Amino acid sequence: MSSRPVVSGLPALVSAALLGTMAMMAFVSVIGPVVRVLGLAEWHAGLSVTAAGVLWMLSARRWGALSDRIGRKRVLLIALAAYAVIYVALAVFVDVALTSPPAIWLSVLVLVGTRALVGLFYAAVPPTAAAIIADQAAPGQRGSVMAKLGTANALGMVLGPAAAGWIAYQNLSLTLYVAALLPLLSLLMIWWRLPNTPPVAPTHTGPKPTLGLGDARLRLPLLAVFAAMISVTVAQVTVGFFAIDRLQLSPADGARMAGLALTAVGVGLIFAQGLVMKLKDIRPTRWILVGALISGLGFASVALVSVPWQLLASYAIAAFGMGFVFPNFQALAADSVEAHEQGAAAGTVASVQGMGMVVGPMIGTLLYRWSPSAPYLLVGVVLLILAGSAALHRARGAA
């Protein structure tokens, strides 16, 4: 007999995660050079990512709870349709702006506005996908299934930045046009292959149950997602600038190096999440502890980078550790709540993910202006705190 959990429509979710991540990473790999060509400042790039994080943070719990009420597939279709339309609009603007740069205020307004809307609608995808897995996979098995989604995200991190970096080397705007097709493909895949499922929220009268940010069951997973997203967004938003300034590369070469660094991230994630899928008996808390230590070492070592291969190695090590953290804070949250709370729990985790997206880019870009090494040292400290918290949680559980 096989104990492998079966989740209906998992291939569709995996495909959507792959394509959605490719689209997101394509933008991240070119934002630094685009900002430089348009004459904007580093903090403008941070502001665009932060705006996405604000709306993500404000909407993710609502999306998760909405999927409990009206069904998972319907929420995914609504969100992916809007995401595709917004990405096309962003690609058209960047194409025109690179040929004939508009006023700085207009460039900032459009970049920030479109990225904010991307955050608003894409915030529906991770909690809804996680809730679908939590609906069908048994407690204790969810981590390995979540890792399949994580592996798809990691592969998207390999393919997206690699393709974007090479295309951007020839034409920055073409990168975004190609990337704009990917959310549309995700939408078609979900519509075609994901089965319809009935809402799972219980029918009852009286006040609706709530799952708050302060719920004791979610303390460690929420801390883990917050620390992880600060770390990831700092690394993403600064890598293009770091490649240009520390490694003395041109904007085009900086885009290519950023793409290679994010590709190294994807490789590290794939290897790590492959281990998570195979080693199913290890508890999520231990994965978080080990992953935070490894990732903190990798990110902190960027402060010592002086040549391109060192940057790639540091990012790969950091990502290897993150590959242990990401599927397991989702699994830990799912294992901690009841069946009718899965969408709300996944949405709560995603809202804190958005909070990390708000804090990380702004802190990262502001610290970068002081010293290119400072953001990476901060990330190392944050992940050390997470590792300590996971160790305390394990000790209390064993007591």
Side-chain angles (χ1 to χ4, degrees):
M1 292 186 300
S2 172
S3 62
R4 184 178 63 183
V6 176
V7 176
S8 301
L10 183 60
L13 290 176
V14 169
S15 298
L18 169 64
L19 296 173
T21 303
M22 288 179 65
M24 295 290 284
M25 291 299 99
F27 178 85
V28 169
S29 64
V30 300
I31 183 61
V34 166
V35 162
R36 287 289 167 85
V37 172
L38 294 181
L40 308 182
E42 292 91 344
W43 69 270
H44 291 140
L47 181 61
S48 70
V49 180
T50 296
V54 169
L55 291 191
W56 183 307
M57 176 181 63
L58 295 177
S59 63
R61 295 183 71 217
R62 295 177 184 272
W63 283 119
L66 182 63
S67 76
D68 285 335
R69 296 196 303 272
I70 71 172
R72 315 293 190 203
K73 182 175 181 177
R74 185 182 297 180
V75 167
L76 287 175
L77 292 176
I78 293 170
L80 287 171
Y83 177 34
V85 170
I86 294 162
Y87 212 126
V88 170
L90 173 62
V92 171
F93 173 80
V94 170
D95 186 19
V96 174
L98 291 176
T99 302
S100 179
I104 288 178
W105 69 266
L106 180 59
S107 294
V108 173
L109 179 64
V110 174
L111 287 177
V112 172
T114 54
R115 286 296 290 179
L117 291 174
V118 164
L120 171 65
F121 289 102
Y122 198 71
V125 177
T128 306
I132 289 172
I133 292 173
D135 289 342
Q136 302 180 51
Q141 297 179 318
R142 289 164 176 155
S144 61
V145 185
M146 298 285 187
K148 294 182 180 180
L149 276 185
T151 300
N153 288 325
L155 186 58
M157 287 186 174
V158 173
L159 298 178
W166 286 107
I167 296 172
Y169 191 69
Q170 303 296 327
N171 189 319
L172 283 174
S173 58
L174 180 60
T175 305
L176 295 179
Y177 279 119
V178 173
L181 296 175
L182 302 180
L184 179 59
L185 294 177
S186 297
L187 173 67
L188 295 175
M189 184 65 66
I190 292 295
W191 172 77
W192 179 41
R193 300 296 296 173
L194 187 70
N196 282 306
T197 55
V200 297
T203 56
H204 63 278
T205 58
K208 296 180 180 179
T210 60
L211 188 70
L213 290 173
D215 194 302
R217 296 172 293 174
L218 298 180
R219 284 176 185 167
L220 181 59
L222 293 186
L223 175 61
V225 67
F226 185 65
M229 286 312 300
I230 286 180
S231 304
V232 167
T233 53
V234 165
Q236 287 176 344
V237 80
T238 58
V239 62
F241 302 123
F242 190 92
I244 292 170
D245 298 332
R246 176 67 68 86
L247 304 180
Q248 300 296 304
L249 301 178
S250 68
D253 287 332
R256 182 169 175 267
M257 180 54 59
L260 290 173
L262 295 176
T263 299
V265 166
V267 171
L269 287 172
I270 288 172
F271 277 108
Q273 294 183 352
L275 288 175
V276 174
M277 284 187 283
K278 290 182 178 181
L279 304 177
K280 299 179 182 180
D281 293 333
I282 298 179
R283 296 177 65 85
T285 306
R286 178 174 291 182
W287 281 124
I288 292 171
L289 168 59
V290 174
L293 289 173
I294 295 173
S295 190
L297 175 64
F299 279 126
S301 68
V302 176
L304 304 176
V305 163
S306 59
V307 294
W309 73 264
Q310 294 174 344
L311 180 63
L312 300 182
S314 295
Y315 267 64
I317 293 170
F320 185 72
M322 277 293 155
F324 297 155
V325 174
F326 269 96
N328 284 288
F329 66 62
Q330 293 173 320
L332 186 60
D335 289 348
S336 301
V337 300
E338 303 298 327
H340 66 277
E341 298 175 302
Q342 291 297 340
T348 302
V349 170
S351 70
V352 175
Q353 185 175 0
M355 192 183 303
M357 291 169 61
V358 172
V359 174
M362 291 306 296
I363 290 179
T365 49
L366 290 173
L367 284 176
Y368 185 89
R369 293 180 65 86
W370 176 53
S371 169
S373 298
Y376 298 98
L377 295 175
L378 172 66
V379 166
V381 172
V382 168
L383 291 174
L384 181 61
I385 293 171
L386 173 59
S389 299
L392 287 174
H393 186 275
R394 288 189 68 231
R396 289 170 183 163

